[in-house]
Amino acid sequence: WTFLIVGILASLAFSLFSFLVCVKPFYKKLVKFHHASVEFESLPADATTSTRRSSVVKLEKAMADLLEEDEMKEVTDFVGRIFSKRNVSRRQTIQPINRRRQSLMLMLA
């Protein structure tokens, strides 16, 4: 039962994280784009050019916000730093044991 309870709690935690980090921000951007799209489509034919232009600017900004991947950029940068290939100098490594020395130590043991 303990394993089942721990598994359910971990699953709920990951689901909550996924909702808060991925789903909710994208949904907000989608709703913003939808409102801007409805506003642009509902403009009357005799709307002034400044009103039409401001509506187009809002629509383009909402579209750019929807298409950008800035939300996950911080996460991918962090993960990228973890898995990036680094140049390690020889000073930071442990020197290998000489095979003769190792065999002599085995014979003496």
Side-chain angles (χ1 to χ4, degrees), residues 56-96:
V56 168
V57 167
K58 285 180 186 176
L59 182 62
E60 287 177 350
K61 185 178 182 325
M63 188 182 336
D65 287 345
L66 183 64
L67 295 177
E68 80 178 351
E69 299 175 11
D70 196 36
E71 297 292 327
M72 296 302 291
K73 184 164 176 47
E74 295 174 3
V75 175
T76 56
D77 288 345
F78 176 73
V79 172
R81 278 185 273 142
I82 291 174
F83 292 109
S84 66
K85 192 168 188 172
R86 293 177 237 156
N87 294 329
V88 179
S89 69
R90 293 285 289 163
R91 289 185 188 179
Q92 296 174 347
T93 60
I94 299 172
Q95 294 294 328

Side-chain angles (χ1 to χ4, degrees), residues 6-54:
V6 170
I8 289 173
L9 291 177
S11 177
L12 287 175
F14 282 117
S15 298
L16 182 65
F17 173 78
S18 175
F19 175 77
L20 292 177
V21 172
C22 299
V23 176
K24 190 174 179 183
F26 182 77
Y27 182 74
K28 284 183 179 180
K29 291 178 184 180
L30 186 65
V31 168
K32 181 180 174 182
F33 173 74
H34 178 70
H35 288 306
S37 177
V38 167
E39 177 187 333
F40 177 72
E41 291 173 358
S42 66
L43 284 176
D46 61 345
T48 62
T49 57
S50 63
T51 306
R52 188 172 296 279
R53 181 66 188 149
S54 68

